[in-house]
Amino acid sequence: MAMIEFRLPALGPDMDEGTLLEWKIQPGAALKRGDIVAVVDTAKAAVDVESWVEGTVHELLIGVGDKVPTGTPIALIRAPGESEETARRPATERRRVSPAARKRATELGVNIAAVAGSGPEGTITLEDIEAAAQHAAAPAPDRGSEMRHAIAAAMSRSKREIPHYYLAETIPMQLALNWLEQHNAERPVTERLLPAVLLLKAVALATRRFPEMNGHWIDGAFQAAAAAHVGVAISLRQGGLIAPAIHDVAAKSLDVLMHELTDLVKRTRAGSLRSSELADPTLTVTNLGEQGVESVFGVIYPPQVALIGFGRVMERPWVEQGTLVAMPTVIASLSGDHRASDGHRGARFLAEIRALLQQPDAL
């Protein structure tokens, strides 16, 4: 049986390469699903890359500091039950390298495993090695500029490929805020809920009736997700946004969601995210209420098909049973992918979110 090639995963549409910061495994170590394999620096953050296989670490193929394209084999794993003697190296691992390139790589200290070959059948040439050496010697790029470039590339792809439509709904929040006030009254500050978790839970529950809002557009077709892994847009201290996922939001209690949201924001800003949190979002929620805006119309993260935005909760004139009152409200917006849904279903989806927020004790 051939050994398993552990490849650098793409952690979102705006990642096409990563730099190894640290190995968390060593040859001979047992590996389980979910174990942290390495820490990889992307354009946005340092990410803990998790294993999706079980086995024994056979060989590490790249070194600390190497920058490689996504999909590059970075380690070889022996499947459970395989010994070092019986395991067979995968055919794709035997790379073609010209003699001159191999000699020059030794002279320059270039890791051949991290170099993409441009010669016939992917052969690594002398020019490939010298280009890799020059790239490694180049001054480190400005972090902020690199992030803006990555975000711009992903959003350009989104606007180029996804036929967006936009809808908005003003949602009364009096019942939800009253419920929150009662819920938080006897609790210490650290255990209180914020309106944000009610919004996340309502969005996730609404996808059960409108599954076309929750999933990915891949290879020309929509693939619905089995659960709502909600990406939460979080601003970084150095600038830029990143949207890691909270998994299976609809199945979790509000208390659990509050704990996970607090932890996620803290770890995101500390640069300690897991690869599954970046690779798994099935739709995204962006909440710019804290920044003071009334509404937000976002750009969909491909290959997702929907993004829900919330502005700040603010009082607006509201007619309640024929009487004009001051009502706390929030504007919910939907950026939808016309290939997966349409305005009619999108409007009903927002109406479902509104209805769910009128029954906060059922969330």
PDB file of all heavy atoms in Angstrom, residues 7-17 42 52 69-71 275 278-280:
ATOM      1  N   ARG A   7      -1.026  16.730   2.168  1.00  0.00           N
ATOM      2  CA  ARG A   7      -0.811  17.928   1.349  1.00  0.00           C
ATOM      3  C   ARG A   7      -1.239  19.195   2.079  1.00  0.00           C
ATOM      4  O   ARG A   7      -2.152  19.164   2.902  1.00  0.00           O
ATOM      5  CB  ARG A   7      -1.597  17.806   0.033  1.00  0.00           C
ATOM      6  CG  ARG A   7      -1.106  16.641  -0.827  1.00  0.00           C
ATOM      7  CD  ARG A   7      -2.017  16.416  -2.037  1.00  0.00           C
ATOM      8  NE  ARG A   7      -1.557  15.299  -2.836  1.00  0.00           N
ATOM      9  CZ  ARG A   7      -0.708  15.411  -3.853  1.00  0.00           C
ATOM     10  NH1 ARG A   7      -0.276  16.609  -4.210  1.00  0.00           N
ATOM     11  NH2 ARG A   7      -0.316  14.345  -4.518  1.00  0.00           N
ATOM     12  N   LEU A   8      -0.593  20.289   1.739  1.00  0.00           N
ATOM     13  CA  LEU A   8      -0.980  21.576   2.323  1.00  0.00           C
ATOM     14  C   LEU A   8      -2.386  21.929   1.852  1.00  0.00           C
ATOM     15  O   LEU A   8      -2.613  22.081   0.649  1.00  0.00           O
ATOM     16  CB  LEU A   8      -0.002  22.675   1.909  1.00  0.00           C
ATOM     17  CG  LEU A   8      -0.323  24.076   2.450  1.00  0.00           C
ATOM     18  CD1 LEU A   8      -0.152  24.110   3.972  1.00  0.00           C
ATOM     19  CD2 LEU A   8       0.550  25.137   1.797  1.00  0.00           C
ATOM     20  N   PRO A   9      -3.350  22.059   2.778  1.00  0.00           N
ATOM     21  CA  PRO A   9      -4.720  22.348   2.351  1.00  0.00           C
ATOM     22  C   PRO A   9      -4.897  23.823   1.999  1.00  0.00           C
ATOM     23  O   PRO A   9      -4.174  24.685   2.486  1.00  0.00           O
ATOM     24  CB  PRO A   9      -5.539  21.973   3.594  1.00  0.00           C
ATOM     25  CG  PRO A   9      -4.618  22.224   4.741  1.00  0.00           C
ATOM     26  CD  PRO A   9      -3.235  21.896   4.240  1.00  0.00           C
ATOM     27  N   ALA A  10      -5.897  24.073   1.152  1.00  0.00           N
ATOM     28  CA  ALA A  10      -6.311  25.462   0.883  1.00  0.00           C
ATOM     29  C   ALA A  10      -7.277  25.861   1.995  1.00  0.00           C
ATOM     30  O   ALA A  10      -8.302  25.220   2.198  1.00  0.00           O
ATOM     31  CB  ALA A  10      -6.980  25.562  -0.471  1.00  0.00           C
ATOM     32  N   LEU A  11      -6.956  26.903   2.705  1.00  0.00           N
ATOM     33  CA  LEU A  11      -7.756  27.320   3.850  1.00  0.00           C
ATOM     34  C   LEU A  11      -8.609  28.516   3.472  1.00  0.00           C
ATOM     35  O   LEU A  11      -8.595  29.544   4.130  1.00  0.00           O
ATOM     36  CB  LEU A  11      -6.837  27.647   5.026  1.00  0.00           C
ATOM     37  CG  LEU A  11      -5.855  26.529   5.388  1.00  0.00           C
ATOM     38  CD1 LEU A  11      -4.870  26.996   6.436  1.00  0.00           C
ATOM     39  CD2 LEU A  11      -6.604  25.295   5.866  1.00  0.00           C
ATOM     40  N   GLY A  12      -9.344  28.373   2.381  1.00  0.00           N
ATOM     41  CA  GLY A  12     -10.191  29.453   1.911  1.00  0.00           C
ATOM     42  C   GLY A  12      -9.829  29.840   0.492  1.00  0.00           C
ATOM     43  O   GLY A  12      -8.776  29.461  -0.030  1.00  0.00           O
ATOM     44  N   PRO A  13     -10.739  30.610  -0.158  1.00  0.00           N
ATOM     45  CA  PRO A  13     -10.543  30.953  -1.561  1.00  0.00           C
ATOM     46  C   PRO A  13      -9.404  31.931  -1.793  1.00  0.00           C
ATOM     47  O   PRO A  13      -8.966  32.099  -2.924  1.00  0.00           O
ATOM     48  CB  PRO A  13     -11.885  31.590  -1.943  1.00  0.00           C
ATOM     49  CG  PRO A  13     -12.409  32.145  -0.664  1.00  0.00           C
ATOM     50  CD  PRO A  13     -11.968  31.181   0.392  1.00  0.00           C
ATOM     51  N   ASP A  14      -8.935  32.584  -0.736  1.00  0.00           N
ATOM     52  CA  ASP A  14      -7.887  33.574  -0.898  1.00  0.00           C
ATOM     53  C   ASP A  14      -6.519  33.037  -0.515  1.00  0.00           C
ATOM     54  O   ASP A  14      -5.592  33.794  -0.304  1.00  0.00           O
ATOM     55  CB  ASP A  14      -8.207  34.821  -0.070  1.00  0.00           C
ATOM     56  CG  ASP A  14      -8.641  34.477   1.348  1.00  0.00           C
ATOM     57  OD1 ASP A  14      -8.607  33.285   1.691  1.00  0.00           O
ATOM     58  OD2 ASP A  14      -9.019  35.394   2.086  1.00  0.00           O
ATOM     59  N   MET A  15      -6.378  31.722  -0.419  1.00  0.00           N
ATOM     60  CA  MET A  15      -5.075  31.134  -0.093  1.00  0.00           C
ATOM     61  C   MET A  15      -4.596  30.251  -1.223  1.00  0.00           C
ATOM     62  O   MET A  15      -5.273  29.305  -1.621  1.00  0.00           O
ATOM     63  CB  MET A  15      -5.171  30.296   1.188  1.00  0.00           C
ATOM     64  CG  MET A  15      -3.848  29.603   1.544  1.00  0.00           C
ATOM     65  SD  MET A  15      -3.982  28.598   3.033  1.00  0.00           S
ATOM     66  CE  MET A  15      -2.399  27.720   2.977  1.00  0.00           C
ATOM     67  N   ASP A  16      -3.431  30.556  -1.771  1.00  0.00           N
ATOM     68  CA  ASP A  16      -2.849  29.692  -2.793  1.00  0.00           C
ATOM     69  C   ASP A  16      -1.449  29.219  -2.421  1.00  0.00           C
ATOM     70  O   ASP A  16      -0.836  28.457  -3.160  1.00  0.00           O
ATOM     71  CB  ASP A  16      -2.841  30.376  -4.159  1.00  0.00           C
ATOM     72  CG  ASP A  16      -2.179  31.743  -4.118  1.00  0.00           C
ATOM     73  OD1 ASP A  16      -1.467  32.029  -3.129  1.00  0.00           O
ATOM     74  OD2 ASP A  16      -2.374  32.498  -5.069  1.00  0.00           O
ATOM     75  N   GLU A  17      -0.934  29.655  -1.273  1.00  0.00           N
ATOM     76  CA  GLU A  17       0.353  29.168  -0.794  1.00  0.00           C
ATOM     77  C   GLU A  17       0.455  29.439   0.701  1.00  0.00           C
ATOM     78  O   GLU A  17      -0.340  30.205   1.271  1.00  0.00           O
ATOM     79  CB  GLU A  17       1.507  29.859  -1.528  1.00  0.00           C
ATOM     80  CG  GLU A  17       1.548  31.355  -1.326  1.00  0.00           C
ATOM     81  CD  GLU A  17       2.646  32.032  -2.131  1.00  0.00           C
ATOM     82  OE1 GLU A  17       3.228  31.375  -3.024  1.00  0.00           O
ATOM     83  OE2 GLU A  17       2.929  33.209  -1.857  1.00  0.00           O
ATOM     84  N   THR A  42      -0.466  31.905   6.529  1.00  0.00           N
ATOM     85  CA  THR A  42      -1.141  32.276   5.291  1.00  0.00           C
ATOM     86  C   THR A  42      -1.029  33.788   5.142  1.00  0.00           C
ATOM     87  O   THR A  42      -0.398  34.457   5.941  1.00  0.00           O
ATOM     88  CB  THR A  42      -2.618  31.862   5.334  1.00  0.00           C
ATOM     89  OG1 THR A  42      -3.313  32.707   6.259  1.00  0.00           O
ATOM     90  CG2 THR A  42      -2.765  30.410   5.795  1.00  0.00           C
ATOM     91  N   TRP A  52      -6.354  14.968   8.741  1.00  0.00           N
ATOM     92  CA  TRP A  52      -7.607  14.320   8.357  1.00  0.00           C
ATOM     93  C   TRP A  52      -7.404  12.816   8.160  1.00  0.00           C
ATOM     94  O   TRP A  52      -8.296  12.132   7.704  1.00  0.00           O
ATOM     95  CB  TRP A  52      -8.165  14.932   7.076  1.00  0.00           C
ATOM     96  CG  TRP A  52      -7.245  14.809   5.885  1.00  0.00           C
ATOM     97  CD1 TRP A  52      -7.160  13.782   4.997  1.00  0.00           C
ATOM     98  CD2 TRP A  52      -6.260  15.755   5.472  1.00  0.00           C
ATOM     99  NE1 TRP A  52      -6.184  14.021   4.064  1.00  0.00           N
ATOM    100  CE2 TRP A  52      -5.619  15.234   4.329  1.00  0.00           C
ATOM    101  CE3 TRP A  52      -5.851  16.998   5.964  1.00  0.00           C
ATOM    102  CZ2 TRP A  52      -4.603  15.919   3.670  1.00  0.00           C
ATOM    103  CZ3 TRP A  52      -4.834  17.658   5.298  1.00  0.00           C
ATOM    104  CH2 TRP A  52      -4.228  17.132   4.178  1.00  0.00           C
ATOM    105  N   PRO A  69       3.069  25.969  -2.598  1.00  0.00           N
ATOM    106  CA  PRO A  69       1.689  26.143  -3.062  1.00  0.00           C
ATOM    107  C   PRO A  69       0.753  25.176  -2.346  1.00  0.00           C
ATOM    108  O   PRO A  69       1.174  24.103  -1.885  1.00  0.00           O
ATOM    109  CB  PRO A  69       1.768  25.803  -4.563  1.00  0.00           C
ATOM    110  CG  PRO A  69       3.214  25.863  -4.910  1.00  0.00           C
ATOM    111  CD  PRO A  69       3.965  25.505  -3.677  1.00  0.00           C
ATOM    112  N   THR A  70      -0.530  25.564  -2.226  1.00  0.00           N
ATOM    113  CA  THR A  70      -1.508  24.632  -1.661  1.00  0.00           C
ATOM    114  C   THR A  70      -1.568  23.386  -2.539  1.00  0.00           C
ATOM    115  O   THR A  70      -1.414  23.457  -3.757  1.00  0.00           O
ATOM    116  CB  THR A  70      -2.904  25.276  -1.592  1.00  0.00           C
ATOM    117  OG1 THR A  70      -3.275  25.725  -2.899  1.00  0.00           O
ATOM    118  CG2 THR A  70      -2.917  26.436  -0.627  1.00  0.00           C
ATOM    119  N   GLY A  71      -1.775  22.237  -1.904  1.00  0.00           N
ATOM    120  CA  GLY A  71      -1.792  20.972  -2.625  1.00  0.00           C
ATOM    121  C   GLY A  71      -0.439  20.292  -2.689  1.00  0.00           C
ATOM    122  O   GLY A  71      -0.337  19.140  -3.119  1.00  0.00           O
ATOM    123  N   SER A 275      -7.187  24.774  11.036  1.00  0.00           N
ATOM    124  CA  SER A 275      -7.471  24.709   9.603  1.00  0.00           C
ATOM    125  C   SER A 275      -8.934  24.404   9.333  1.00  0.00           C
ATOM    126  O   SER A 275      -9.524  24.923   8.386  1.00  0.00           O
ATOM    127  CB  SER A 275      -6.583  23.650   8.942  1.00  0.00           C
ATOM    128  OG  SER A 275      -6.695  22.399   9.604  1.00  0.00           O
ATOM    129  N   LEU A 278     -11.157  27.426   9.145  1.00  0.00           N
ATOM    130  CA  LEU A 278     -11.064  28.257   7.952  1.00  0.00           C
ATOM    131  C   LEU A 278     -11.584  27.547   6.714  1.00  0.00           C
ATOM    132  O   LEU A 278     -12.074  28.189   5.791  1.00  0.00           O
ATOM    133  CB  LEU A 278      -9.610  28.678   7.724  1.00  0.00           C
ATOM    134  CG  LEU A 278      -9.071  29.707   8.708  1.00  0.00           C
ATOM    135  CD1 LEU A 278      -7.609  29.987   8.437  1.00  0.00           C
ATOM    136  CD2 LEU A 278      -9.875  30.991   8.622  1.00  0.00           C
ATOM    137  N   ALA A 279     -11.494  26.232   6.688  1.00  0.00           N
ATOM    138  CA  ALA A 279     -11.876  25.491   5.487  1.00  0.00           C
ATOM    139  C   ALA A 279     -13.352  25.099   5.468  1.00  0.00           C
ATOM    140  O   ALA A 279     -13.883  24.783   4.409  1.00  0.00           O
ATOM    141  CB  ALA A 279     -11.014  24.234   5.360  1.00  0.00           C
ATOM    142  N   ASP A 280     -14.040  25.130   6.630  1.00  0.00           N
ATOM    143  CA  ASP A 280     -15.371  24.539   6.712  1.00  0.00           C
ATOM    144  C   ASP A 280     -16.576  25.453   6.580  1.00  0.00           C
ATOM    145  O   ASP A 280     -17.706  24.946   6.522  1.00  0.00           O
ATOM    146  CB  ASP A 280     -15.521  23.806   8.061  1.00  0.00           C
ATOM    147  CG  ASP A 280     -14.694  22.537   8.104  1.00  0.00           C
ATOM    148  OD1 ASP A 280     -14.173  22.146   7.049  1.00  0.00           O
ATOM    149  OD2 ASP A 280     -14.558  21.954   9.185  1.00  0.00           O
TER     150      ASP A 280
END
